[in-house]
Amino acid sequence: MSSELRVVAIADADSFVKWSAALLDAVPGIRRHMLLVRTPLTVSREQENMALAGTIIGDGAVTRVGFDEVAGWLQGHLPDVVVLAGRGHFVRLIARVIDRLKQRPVVVSGLPGMSIPALRGTLEYRRESDLLVLHSHREIRAYEALGDRLGIAVPMALATLPYARRASQVVTASRMRAGAADAVGAADAQGGGVAVVERERRGTDLVFAAQALVPAERDERETLVDILRRAAAARPNRRVVVKLRSRPGEAETHLERDAYTELLANRPANLMISYEPMALALSRAEGLVTVSSTAAVEAIARGVPVIALDTFGVRKPLLNTVFAGSGLLGDAGDVVARRFRHPDADWMHDNYFHPASESDWWDRVQELVMLRRGGVLPAKTVPAGRGGTLHAAWHRKSVLGSEDRSFTGQVALGIGAPLVQGILGMRRARGRAGEDTWADATTDYTLEPRPQKDPVRR
C-alpha cells in the first residue's frame, strides 16, 4: 500500500494487551496505537509496562479512555484497522461502537494464547469481525469445525503466536520497560520465525507458569504447591520460581480462586514468587513447568525445555489436550527430578510452530482494507440482542462494572444476572456427556459453557 496504515488495538485485560501489542509490534510500516478502555479488568500501569516490555509501543502510543470516549477517539483518529483485544463480551460491546462510526475500519479480533479446545462463546462473540486471527493450523481446523457445527461463518487467518520467537531472535535490550536489564524477544516482520535453536547459556531456575483457571479445585492447587515444594527441597541450591501474572489487588483476564500467594505463604527460601515478565524469567530458566499455559510456547521458541504437567489428567477442562502427542507431558516425579523435555517435531508444525511464510493474517488484513476503501466489503454489524434496551444495558454493565453508573445498567444487572446463570446451567446440564462437550475427547471444540466459574462481571 502507498501509505502507512493506521492500526489501533483496543484492549483492557493484561493478556490481551500483551498479545495485541506483540502482534502489532511484528508488522512493519504501520502507525500503531494502543487504546486501553477502563473496565474492572484494565491493566494497572505496572501491568501495562510488563505487557509492552520489548515492543516498540511507547508511552506516546498508549491512550487510556472511558467507554463513552471510545467513539469520539475513533472518529477523531480514523484508523484503517482496529484489533479488538478482549474477552467476548468486551469485543461485542466495542463492536457496537464501531457500528456507529461514519467511516468504518476493518475489524480484526483474536485470542491471546493457545486456544484448544475451540469455544462456542469465543466464536459467537466475534462473529461480526472481518477477520479472526488464530495461531496454529490445528486451531483453524477446530474453529472451522465449530463454525460448521453452529452455522457461523467467520473469515479466519493464521498468525505466528507473538511469543513463538526463535532463540536467535532474542536480543539484549538496554532496559525493559518493566525496569530490568535483560533479554527480550524481537519478532521478524512476518510475526517471528519458528525454528527452535538451543541457547548457548542455560539457566538454573525451575519456572512454574501459574494459571488462574487450571487446575480449578483447591485440593488440586494444593497438590501442585506440594510438587513445587518437593522440587525446591530436592535441589536447595537452585530456585523454583512461581511466575504470577498479577500482584495482589491487580486484575487478570480470568478470575483466580485459591491464589498461590496464599497457598505459598510459608515456603522454603529457594521457592520464589515472581511478577517479572515471562521473557525475563525464561532467560534464567533451566526449564518451564505448566499445566496448560501459553508460556510453554514461549519457552519452546527460546530453546527452554518444558514439562506439561499431566498429574491431573489430559482433558479439555484442563486446557491441556493440545499437548497430546507433543512429547512434553510429564508427572510430579519428572518435575521434582527436573526431567524437562523438548517437543516432537511433527507436533510442532501443527501446533504454533509453522514456518513464518504460512502466516497470512497481515496479507489478508491489507486485502480487506483495499476492499473496504473500494466500497466492496460490507459491514458486519452486531444485531440487536433479544431483550432490546434492557439486554443492551445488562451487556454494558456486565463489561464495564462500576465504570457504568447508569440506573438502567443497575436494574438490568439485577434482572439479567440470574437469567444468564439459569441459561448457562441448562446448557451445562444438557451437555454433561456425549459429543461436542467438554467430556468428548474426539473433538477439539466444545459447545458447552466453561466448566470453570469465570464470571464476566467482577
Side-chain angles (χ1 to χ4, degrees), residues 117 119 213-214 216-217 257 315-319 424 428 432 437-439 446 448-454:
L119 304 182
L213 291 183
V214 296
E217 302 301 323
R257 295 178 173 85
R315 47 195 173 87
K316 284 180 182 176
L318 287 169
L319 310 178
L424 293 177
R428 290 190 181 102
R432 226 151 258 205
T437 67
W438 286 95
T446 174
E448 286 185 279
R450 283 186 183 273
Q452 304 96 346
K453 295 179 180 178
D454 187 30

Side-chain angles (χ1 to χ4, degrees), residues 358-432:
E358 295 177 8
S359 294
D360 62 348
W361 84 278
W362 185 245
D363 289 337
R364 295 282 302 280
V365 168
Q366 292 180 92
E367 292 169 2
L368 292 170
V369 171
M370 292 297 291
L371 291 173
R372 179 135 294 158
R373 287 177 175 177
V376 293
L377 180 66
K380 298 174 67 176
T381 57
V382 182
R386 287 178 292 181
T389 302
L390 198 61
H391 178 272
W394 172 83
H395 183 198
R396 175 181 166 123
K397 182 68 175 178
S398 65
V399 174
L400 301 180
S402 61
E403 290 294 323
D404 175 34
R405 299 175 178 84
S406 67
F407 175 73
T408 54
Q410 195 63 41
V411 171
L413 189 64
I415 297 172
L419 289 175
V420 170
Q421 290 305 312
I423 291 170
L424 293 177
M426 285 190 293
R427 284 184 179 175
R428 290 190 181 102
R430 256 197 328 258
R432 226 151 258 205

